[in-house]
Amino acid sequence: MELVAILVSTAVAVALSILYPRWQRDAEVRAIKKRHGCKDPIKYPHEDKVLGSDMVRLRTEAMKEGRFFKLYESQFEKYGRTFEEIWRGKPLINTTEPANVQQVAALAFEDYGKDPERLKAQSPFYGPSIFSDGPIWKHARGMVKPIFARAEISDLDHLASFADRFMELLPQDGSMIDVQPLLHRLFLDVSMDFLFGKSLNSLQPEVPADCTEFREAFTKAQKGVTQRREAGWFQFRLHRYNEDKDWKEAYTKVHRFVDGQVERALRETADLKPDSDDTGIRRRYVLLDEMAKEIRDPIALRYHVLGVFNPARDTTSIAVGNTLFQLARHPDVWAKLRQISLELGDAPLTFEKLKSLVYFRHVLHETIRVCGPAARVWRVAVRDTVLPLGGGPDQKSPVFVGRGTPVVLGTWSMNHDKGIWGDDVHEFKPDRWIGRKPLWEFVPFFGGPRICPAQQQVLTYAIYILVRLTQKFERMENCDPVFEYVERFSLSFESRNGVKVAFKTS
Ligand code: HEM
């Protein structure tokens, strides 16, 4: 009898210890929802209602077929600007509602962080950097932002020498070239030179062996990060297939290359103060050297500079490649750009001059809107919070976001929302930007405290190359039988069919 009583009271105690916190949590959530007038968002009708694996399958297939973002777009069209899915057994909120984007990026910035699982997956390669959260991010951000601001206006001479080499490598006889790989080489050299003070010389006929090794190792190491992020719960499988060894080898090679540059920067900046304007070494800004004035620990410095190299690697070249992709299909826009660039005559292409070329900016914005690179921004709520819109059948009520819930901002889908851009949303029309000042409905560089620090640099560099090309060539013809843009995911999303064009001087 006594034993039964003990068993019953133990069972009750166990049940209570499980149920009470749940009940308490439910009451807490109910109170927040009531206070803010929250309603549930529309739920994606999963076949697998427990893990949501059907969505993962759909996305994997779509990615293979080059229609990852089209799939997203169709889901937003069907379920509205905000819907909830089940991701790895937990709710995840997708949204393209500009007010929600503003909330996550700026108004409730402190309520969101990076995905801790993603940070963990990439940490052996990237370590703590601007891509981290909290004080590490804050420190890195404070250091990087002014370097970009100063470099933007001081750096064009050095871009010019790389651009000269790039122009020489284009066929002058009007024959076809896939210009995307050449653009990758150009901007790899430009960004390595700006970040590390050492170009990879990938536009030279003889590419140095250490540069090729670095490039290949980086690609492999980054692919390993993507695999680990995708593996989620199943990361142990990567160990089983012994892929870790290869991955470690790849990222160690990258570290070795970066460490060589870090050593040089520490040596050359040993006597310089953090706020010193004169590097005493170069006339232009090298990000690593500027960072080295502040961070003297070589390992910390390695991760900080790698953190900036990662987003720099292919993004600008894809933006310019995508613009040429569109211009090859819209010769009238090329002609308009050429007229503007010829009117510049021999005027030096200064930062201010390039910034004043408004129509070039419209063309770039329209390209980025139509085909990227702009994808998704992924955040996780670090505390209970609320999105202003997306709840209820009309999606006009606030939505409760529990701590730990991922919120994915579909910036690509927002750029293809008929409600924002009109029925011609899929057409390339730079003129739609005339007189338009985008707010939160167009954030390819994101917004708020974590806005891309390179935004102005990217636009300036891209416009510079477009001016040089349109000044030199009268026309650019499309040589690709496939008219539409098909995406491919390598390290970023880019054109699967490349950018096959012919530059014509008459
Ligand atoms: C077309 C080109 C580019 C686009 C569309 C772009 C877009 C973005 C976006 C959307 C973010 C926010 C990501 C997030 O918080 O999850 C971001 C952050 C960042 N980007 Fe870019 N980017 C471009 C080029 C570059 C380049 C060339 C560099 C470096 C030279 C760069 C450096 C960074 C850094 C360091 C961050 C992190 C900022 C922070 O978290 O405070 N980006 N970029």
Side-chain angles (χ1 to χ4, degrees):
M1 194 61 193
E2 217 171 277
L3 181 66
V4 172
I6 292 172
L7 283 176
V8 168
S9 51
T10 311
V12 169
V14 170
L16 277 179
S17 71
I18 295 170
L19 292 177
Y20 182 69
R22 278 202 196 163
W23 174 82
Q24 227 181 1
R25 174 72 183 145
D26 285 350
E28 203 176 88
V29 170
R30 264 200 311 275
I32 301 174
K33 284 185 173 176
K34 193 166 168 210
R35 200 162 55 242
H36 293 276
C38 296
K39 291 188 183 156
D40 286 343
I42 287 167
K43 298 210 172 20
Y44 180 79
H46 281 285
E47 285 163 27
D48 173 359
K49 296 193 183 330
V50 180
L51 296 178
S53 60
D54 50 328
M55 182 71 112
V56 176
R57 207 177 47 245
L58 273 182
R59 290 206 182 115
T60 311
E61 279 163 15
M63 188 174 282
K64 272 191 212 142
E65 290 162 15
R67 48 176 189 85
F68 181 76
F69 286 116
K70 291 236 161 69
L71 172 73
Y72 246 109
E73 189 190 329
S74 67
Q75 290 173 340
F76 281 115
E77 250 174 40
K78 195 159 175 191
Y79 305 111
R81 287 188 182 159
T82 305
F83 69 92
E84 186 183 294
E85 67 175 83
I86 298 170
W87 184 75
R88 294 182 185 167
K90 289 192 290 188
L92 173 153
I93 297 171
N94 292 291
T95 187
T96 57
E97 178 58 65
N100 290 345
V101 174
Q102 179 184 22
Q103 182 78 4
V104 175
L107 300 178
F109 175 73
E110 302 286 343
D111 292 352
Y112 295 90
K114 296 270 173 134
D115 183 342
E117 272 184 34
R118 288 177 162 221
L119 290 179
K120 196 169 137 211
Q122 70 187 38
S123 71
F125 179 24
Y126 287 119
S129 74
I130 195 163
F131 273 83
S132 308
D133 267 335
I136 296 171
W137 166 73
K138 215 173 196 155
H139 173 230
R141 179 86 197 179
M143 189 169 50
V144 161
K145 191 72 188 45
I147 301 174
F148 271 96
R150 279 179 283 169
E152 271 158 24
I153 46 175
S154 70
D155 225 18
L156 288 171
D157 285 352
H158 116 101
L159 172 64
S161 62
F162 290 106
D164 289 347
R165 179 80 197 121
F166 165 77
M167 300 290 286
E168 278 165 21
L169 291 174
L170 295 175
Q172 313 291 314
D173 60 356
S175 55
M176 193 272 274
I177 178 176
D178 179 358
V179 77
Q180 186 69 83
L182 197 58
L183 284 167
H184 282 326
R185 284 160 62 194
L186 165 67
F187 282 105
L188 186 63
D189 279 0
V190 171
S191 58
M192 287 294 288
D193 208 38
F194 166 56
L195 298 179
F196 297 102
K198 178 180 165 83
S199 156
L200 283 191
N201 290 322
S202 62
L203 287 173
Q204 300 302 327
E206 292 295 320
V207 180
D210 63 334
C211 294
T212 310
E213 192 184 54
F214 171 79
R215 210 168 49 192
E216 286 169 2
F218 185 87
T219 305
K220 204 164 172 182
Q222 178 56 33
K223 283 197 168 147
V225 168
T226 310
Q227 264 177 323
R228 262 152 200 81
R229 267 194 338 223
E230 300 305 320
W233 294 333
F234 303 107
Q235 288 197 21
F236 65 89
R237 272 166 55 179
L238 298 175
H239 293 267
R240 198 190 308 153
Y241 293 118
N242 202 20
E243 287 188 19
D244 253 6
K245 194 168 142 283
D246 280 358
W247 187 51
K248 270 187 198 151
E249 209 175 282
Y251 72 68
T252 308
K253 268 188 199 160
V254 175
H255 287 170
R256 226 180 289 131
F257 178 92
V258 177
D259 290 349
Q261 303 314 307
V262 163
E263 206 184 296
R264 175 203 58 73
L266 286 173
R267 199 176 49 246
E268 292 182 1
T269 55
D271 300 324
L272 295 173
K273 299 207 165 39
D275 55 357
S276 133
D277 252 0
D278 175 17
T279 61
I281 304 156
R282 292 180 174 76
R283 276 176 295 111
R284 64 190 171 77
Y285 285 102
V286 171
L287 185 118
L288 175 59
D289 294 3
E290 297 301 309
M291 283 179 163
K293 291 188 212 160
E294 203 167 313
I295 299 177
R296 304 300 298 170
D297 172 21
I299 302 295
L301 194 50
R302 168 217 281 171
Y303 288 131
H304 276 295
V305 73
L306 253 184
V308 184
F309 178 67
N310 175 28
R313 194 188 137 141
D314 282 342
T315 39
T316 312
S317 49
I318 294 173
V320 177
N322 287 349
T323 309
L324 296 182
F325 180 97
Q326 290 297 349
L327 292 176
R329 286 149 179 82
H330 297 88
D332 53 323
V333 181
W334 177 277
K336 202 163 164 183
L337 292 178
R338 179 166 160 84
Q339 194 189 337
I340 299 167
S341 66
L342 288 180
E343 276 166 13
L344 294 174
D346 293 334
L349 297 177
T350 59
F351 171 77
E352 285 75 21
K353 179 61 74 195
L354 294 169
K355 206 173 171 196
S356 72
L357 301 179
V358 179
Y359 191 69
F360 276 79
R361 206 163 54 241
H362 291 341
V363 169
L364 277 167
H365 277 164
E366 182 64 350
T367 301
I368 293 175
R369 186 191 70 75
V370 173
C371 48
R376 302 184 299 166
V377 173
W378 186 294
R379 290 289 186 269
V380 172
V382 294
R383 58 177 73 103
D384 292 339
T385 185
V386 165
L387 291 172
L389 287 174
D394 62 358
Q395 309 204 323
K396 297 262 188 283
S397 301
V399 174
F400 171 75
V401 185
R403 59 175 175 263
T405 304
V407 175
V408 180
L409 309 171
T411 50
W412 195 93
S413 304
M414 205 158 66
N415 297 342
H416 295 81
D417 183 330
K418 282 190 186 139
I420 297 173
W421 304 98
D423 287 342
D424 59 357
V425 68
H426 292 109
E427 287 169 43
F428 176 80
K429 286 187 173 172
D431 285 5
R432 75 170 81 237
W433 290 91
I434 296 171
R436 183 172 195 138
K437 283 214 162 29
L439 294 167
W440 289 96
E441 73 276 17
F442 183 68
V443 284
F445 295 94
F446 204 40
R450 292 197 91 142
I451 191 170
C452 177
Q455 174 173 10
Q456 197 55 53
Q457 188 191 67
V458 169
L459 295 176
T460 309
Y461 282 12
I463 292 177
Y464 179 91
I465 297 298
L466 292 175
V467 168
R468 293 283 305 266
L469 286 169
T470 48
Q471 275 181 338
K472 176 152 187 189
F473 297 105
E474 188 167 327
R475 289 173 298 124
M476 181 184 59
E477 284 175 5
N478 173 38
C479 303
D480 182 352
V482 182
F483 191 82
E484 74 270 18
Y485 188 88
V486 186
E487 73 206 17
R488 174 176 79 112
F489 186 74
S490 157
L491 294 185
S492 321
F493 283 93
E494 62 183 295
S495 164
R496 173 172 290 207
N497 299 316
V499 182
K500 298 184 189 94
V501 294
F503 293 97
K504 307 279 181 183
T505 44
S506 60

